[in-house]
Amino acid sequence: MNEITVTMVDGGIALVIFDDPERPVNTMTPDLLIAMENQVVPLMDDPEVKGLVFLSAKPDTFIAGADIKLFIEADDPKLVSEIDGAYSRVLSRLFENPKPLVAAVHGAALGGGLEIALACHYILASDHPATVLGLPEVTLGILPAAGGTQRLPRRVGLVRGLDMMLTGRRVRAGRALKIGLVDEVVTPEGILERAKSVAGDLVHGRLKRPAPRKALLDRLIGLPFVRSMVLGKARKTVRQRTRGNYPAPMRILECVDLGLQKGVDAALEREIASIGDLMMTPQSRSLVWLFLATQDMKSDTAKGRPASERMAVVGGGLMGAGIASVSLGRCPVVVQDISSEALERCSGQIKAGLARQARAEAVTPEEQERRWSTFTTTRDLSEIAGADLVVEAVFEELSLKRKVLAEVEEQVGPEAVYGTNTSVLGISEIAIGARHPERVVGMHYFSPVHKMPLLELVAPEQAAPWAVDKAQAFGQAQGKTVIRVKDRPGFYTTRILMPYLREALFLLERGATIEEIDGAMKDFGFPTGPLARMDEVGIDVAAQMSRDLGEKYSQRWGPGHDTLERMVKANFLGRKNGRGFYTYPAKKKKQKKPNQEIYSLFPERQAGTRDPALLRDTLSLTMVNEAAHCLQEDVIASPRDGDVGAVLGLGFPPFRGGPFHHADDLGLETIVSRMETLAEQHGPRYAPAQMIVDMERQGRTFFV
Ligand code: 3HC
């Protein structure tokens, strides 16, 4: 139940305090709307009230925007637009009233929460890392619809406003001040006093309402050709990024354009009309589902369970340094490696990471110092002795991993959990010969660790539940979304990725070109196509993984393609040596070109499969089918975990919700029929998983 408390203080200043005592954050709900209408709007006409300050009683949130949990139930676009319209009109009423309104933002002011602040005439923000401001609606497939598309660009300028709305980018206080989103930055302790004093100064004319700082472009934006140039460029970027898969960004541009041409009121009405439609789109449904699913997964282990008191990372390479960097701040971290050069590079990487976080204001300079002081490196393995969690991140080589495990076991105490970071090696195999196999789990991080949100936690049968829980709690403390998977070859993510990558080679053989294959999957919504992806991973690494997993699943997958092996022999190693499925110019690696020499590695290349829809189907259904096999074999616990894992770990298009949602959307009947046709034409590896066949017969779906 959202509550607003209004308190009068000296000088006729009304403090409007938001608090939802039953929830961890304040959100915009129909209750809050009623409270705004009944308690805040009348203050505009109350002669006792000279000015208002808006603030939150929550420790770390101002207002987190509309209540996303309600989106899932919304099935009437008109009703959504009506409720939103009422909000929007309240905020316009506030913005247009002559009394000064001051927003005291401490904590997250996101979506509708920022729109409340934008309806104020002066915005203060606290210099606390929890204070983030942004309009992330686009990431939920909708648009800012309480004035955001109009008031944000008018504060920060068109180009910055568009960037924030089209990407959902969030900014912290210092950056917000720089771009004109807020007017002043203060300490969390001082924000209320300062807000009251600003309100008083505005009332008495000692301070003027700040005028938006306008860049030259914004001063010229009234000129039709300037407007069409800026918006035309934005539309082009959106088309390139979304490939037409997401409707929300274009609706945002439409509102911005309309506001410039026909005025704010017309644009506000367009915002209101658009949100109802957008919320009903399958894209928004999937994105909202993903948000809620990942939130749900945070409570999969008991919150507050002690994660680790001292952590050690063995192996100071890129992955080890990444794992250490996301662990700092949770507990002291020691990184051990036999090479001093590796340790030096690792320290450099950690330092650069901390500096990056400080620049992004995610940590204060004091916190940056503190974290750095809890980080140590050593060549001496005995220095990891006190660790209660050890993450090993050495090369993907079974014998090496076993050796390191044995050495670590010599050093650590009985409470220590051992997480081995691997994308492909069996955890039970690594643990063969271990003194305490019950404490060994797999922790598959994704690169770059600080950016990739997923941790695939591999729980082998012999692992003790407390050890798995502890590793999970630690992954969550690192900010990762954790899926628990069984210890089967390739676990979940690598396993569903591999047949998809191998399939791309068969399609090349069948006559499709490199651009056609990658283009089809980018159109489907993946950030990169399968061939470019193999270049990124490294052709030698992909070849090894394909060989290893191919052997394990040979019965069903059939013989693999030997192209990758031949590419390695021909020194086509992918992006790392500038030659793979693409060639990469030494200086401008982004301007890659399809490598024509690759076709000569396919002597039996046919003329054939070129229909983009067929390419998309063949590749995506291969992944969906393998995901269903994983579910059938209990490798993943649920379609939810499978979807979240594929989206966060592999870049499966978020607007499709993941392979299981995609299967439901296509219809299991369609999947069975398409896969059976492929199986008839090209072999049994396309046969639909028994689970899909059974569910189709029983008329069931993965969700609902
Ligand atoms: N709606 C509903 N619940 C929300 C919420 C929201 N907007 N934002 C956060 N929550 C809930 C979470 O689900 C979680 O609930 P739980 O404890 O029951 O699982 C709880 O609040 C705490 O959230 P986090 O665990 O994520 O806490 P953090 O401190 O890590 O992060 C946050 C807080 C930065 C606010 C983050 O939750 C967040 O980014 N939320 C989403 C904000 C967002 O996208 N808002 C836009 C909404 S759309 C809109 O406003 C439309 C408007 O233009 C009309």
Side-chain angles (χ1 to χ4, degrees):
M1 175 76 176
N2 267 294
E3 280 180 12
I4 290 180
T5 312
V6 178
T7 310
M8 289 305 292
V9 294
D10 289 352
I13 305 300
L15 303 184
V16 177
I17 307 165
F18 296 99
D19 192 11
D20 181 345
E22 287 158 21
R23 303 269 298 271
V25 299
N26 295 321
T27 55
M28 290 165 81
T29 58
D31 292 340
L32 187 72
L33 172 62
I34 295 168
M36 296 275 277
E37 282 175 336
N38 292 342
Q39 292 173 258
V40 183
V41 172
L43 301 177
M44 304 301 116
D45 299 320
D46 183 340
E48 299 295 312
V49 176
K50 309 291 181 215
L52 292 92
V53 172
F54 290 83
L55 67 148
S56 156
K58 289 271 175 262
D60 281 330
T61 349
F62 180 67
I63 298 170
D67 185 346
I68 302 170
K69 291 180 178 154
L70 299 179
F71 293 7
I72 219 84
E73 295 156 20
D75 56 3
D76 179 356
K78 274 209 190 106
L79 185 62
V80 170
S81 289
E82 255 171 47
I83 297 172
D84 177 74
Y87 255 118
S88 179
R89 285 175 204 117
V90 165
L91 296 192
S92 294
R93 169 87 176 81
L94 300 186
F95 186 67
E96 282 154 18
N97 108 95
K99 293 177 190 179
L101 310 185
V102 177
V105 176
H106 169 68
L110 296 169
L114 180 58
E115 287 172 307
I116 291 182
L118 286 167
C120 294
H121 310 111
Y122 200 98
I123 308 179
L124 292 156
S126 77
D127 61 358
H128 191 276
T131 299
V132 282
L133 304 98
L135 294 177
E137 285 86 343
V138 76
T139 62
L140 297 166
I142 56 170
L143 84 174
T149 69
Q150 305 305 301
R151 295 191 190 112
L152 180 71
R154 280 168 181 76
R155 254 194 178 255
V156 304
L158 188 59
V159 173
R160 284 209 179 97
L162 284 177
D163 174 63
M164 284 181 72
M165 288 188 285
L166 295 173
T167 60
R169 204 185 308 285
R170 302 165 181 207
V171 294
R172 289 197 168 78
R175 174 83 188 140
L177 181 66
K178 221 180 228 167
I179 63 177
L181 176 53
V182 304
D183 301 299
E184 215 176 302
V185 174
V186 282
T187 61
E189 300 76 35
I191 194 164
L192 177 57
E193 280 315 306
R194 180 63 192 146
K196 287 195 278 189
S197 129
V198 165
D201 287 351
L202 287 166
V203 169
H204 296 291
R206 291 189 292 266
L207 190 68
K208 282 214 163 81
R209 289 183 189 188
R213 280 175 268 156
K214 284 196 167 179
L216 179 63
L217 191 68
D218 289 296
R219 279 184 249 141
L220 297 176
I221 209 73
L223 301 172
F225 79 92
V226 177
R227 189 176 63 235
S228 79
M229 183 191 77
V230 175
L231 290 167
K233 193 166 167 234
R235 281 194 187 93
K236 192 171 158 207
T237 311
V238 164
R239 269 195 297 271
Q240 278 168 351
R241 269 199 213 141
T242 66
R243 299 191 163 226
N245 284 322
Y246 292 85
M250 283 300 178
R251 295 289 193 94
I252 291 172
L253 286 169
E254 213 176 88
C255 290
V256 171
D257 198 2
L258 195 66
L260 294 171
Q261 290 195 52
K262 300 258 165 76
V264 171
D265 289 348
L268 293 180
E269 288 308 313
R270 184 67 63 88
E271 280 184 354
I272 295 165
S274 301
I275 193 165
D277 295 345
L278 285 173
M279 206 177 277
M280 304 301 131
T281 57
Q283 289 89 340
S284 177
R285 295 282 188 213
S286 297
L287 295 168
V288 166
W289 178 84
L290 275 170
F291 173 83
L292 295 175
T294 45
Q295 290 290 339
D296 222 29
M297 289 164 83
K298 287 187 189 172
S299 48
D300 274 2
T301 46
K303 274 185 185 170
R305 176 190 290 274
S308 170
E309 277 160 28
R310 185 158 190 264
M311 187 221 189
V313 177
V314 177
L318 205 64
M319 287 306 280
I323 295 164
S325 88
V326 294
S327 311
L328 279 178
R330 328 283 162 218
C331 63
V333 178
V334 55
V335 176
Q336 189 277 340
D337 198 294
I338 44 169
S339 147
S340 358
E341 290 85 59
L343 289 176
E344 228 164 84
R345 270 197 308 275
C346 173
S347 294
Q349 199 180 319
I350 300 279
K351 206 166 204 174
L354 282 171
R356 190 176 52 237
Q357 288 175 325
R359 270 198 308 280
E361 305 165 62
V363 293
T364 59
E366 298 77 47
E367 179 61 12
Q368 181 185 5
E369 273 299 303
R370 191 190 71 79
R371 289 188 185 188
W372 181 245
S373 72
T374 61
F375 170 73
T376 45
T377 59
T378 180
R379 292 181 61 214
D380 178 359
L381 198 61
S382 70
E383 287 188 30
I384 71 164
D388 61 0
L389 177 74
V390 180
V391 179
E392 162 272 299
V394 302
F395 281 130
E396 293 263 17
E397 201 188 280
L398 187 60
S399 56
L400 177 64
K401 290 206 178 252
R402 278 191 188 145
K403 179 171 164 278
V404 171
L405 170 56
E407 287 168 1
V408 168
E409 282 194 318
E410 296 278 321
Q411 305 295 339
V412 291
E415 73 297 344
V417 171
Y418 187 91
T420 169
N421 172 58
T422 170
S423 60
V424 77
L425 296 175
I427 312 304
S428 312
E429 280 185 75
I430 293 173
I432 287 175
R435 267 198 238 162
H436 293 290
E438 76 283 3
R439 291 192 226 143
V440 180
V441 299
M443 295 178 86
H444 176 202
Y445 290 89
F446 295 74
S447 179
V449 180
H450 69 279
K451 279 199 180 149
M452 296 294 285
L454 188 72
L455 169 64
E456 199 175 19
L457 176 63
V458 191
E461 261 137 42
Q462 78 275 1
W466 67 266
V468 185
D469 282 355
K470 182 165 175 152
Q472 177 155 1
F474 195 70
Q476 287 171 333
Q478 289 172 320
K480 301 296 170 200
T481 298
V482 183
I483 57 166
R484 279 190 191 203
V485 298
K486 275 203 177 158
D487 186 21
R488 296 283 180 277
F491 318 130
Y492 173 64
T493 52
T494 310
R495 169 152 167 204
I496 67 168
L497 179 66
M498 201 32 80
Y500 162 82
L501 296 181
R502 285 157 59 109
E503 198 52 38
L505 303 173
F506 288 109
L507 291 170
L508 264 179
E509 176 116 77
R510 277 189 236 146
T513 63
I514 295 169
E515 302 92 304
E516 283 167 346
I517 292 169
D518 278 356
M521 292 327 281
K522 281 165 79 176
D523 285 345
F524 182 77
F526 274 98
T528 43
L531 300 171
R533 188 171 195 132
M534 284 190 266
D535 274 0
E536 297 289 335
V537 171
I539 301 299
D540 46 347
V541 178
Q544 170 88 34
M545 280 162 70
S546 171
R547 205 170 39 240
D548 290 350
L549 274 192
E551 275 169 21
K552 306 262 165 57
Y553 296 105
S554 60
Q555 236 186 345
R556 198 159 45 73
W557 291 4
H561 219 280
D562 63 354
T563 312
L564 295 178
E565 319 282 352
R566 279 186 281 135
M567 283 177 75
V568 174
K569 273 196 199 121
N571 199 28
F572 289 122
L573 298 183
R575 191 174 174 145
K576 61 184 159 199
N577 78 340
R579 310 162 73 229
F581 289 102
Y582 294 84
T583 52
Y584 301 82
K587 283 196 182 138
K588 294 183 181 162
K589 287 209 167 182
K590 278 198 173 147
Q591 291 178 7
K592 59 179 195 270
K593 289 206 176 72
N595 184 356
Q596 302 303 322
E597 289 180 62
I598 292 297
Y599 298 117
S600 64
L601 298 174
F602 290 86
E604 293 176 22
R605 195 167 128 83
Q606 307 151 6
T609 323
R610 305 184 83 93
D611 172 12
L614 186 60
L615 295 177
R616 268 201 308 272
D617 257 9
T618 312
L619 285 159
S620 63
L621 293 186
T622 303
M623 190 178 267
V624 167
N625 203 36
E626 199 60 35
H629 276 284
C630 289
L631 186 61
Q632 185 177 301
E633 295 164 26
D634 295 327
V635 170
I636 43 172
S638 63
R640 177 199 72 172
D641 288 9
D643 275 356
V644 170
V647 172
L648 301 188
L650 301 176
F652 194 95
F655 74 93
R656 297 189 190 275
F660 294 101
H661 265 95
H662 180 55
D664 279 354
D665 284 347
L666 267 183
L668 298 192
E669 199 183 338
T670 309
I671 295 187
V672 170
S673 126
R674 289 187 191 168
M675 300 224 60
E676 282 177 348
T677 308
L678 283 168
E680 269 164 36
Q681 290 169 348
H682 304 291
R685 72 173 179 280
Y686 296 99
Q690 194 56 43
M691 175 177 238
I692 299 185
V693 176
D694 292 345
M695 286 175 69
E696 189 268 322
R697 276 201 205 119
Q698 296 154 2
R700 287 164 53 212
T701 51
F702 288 110
F703 291 91
V704 192

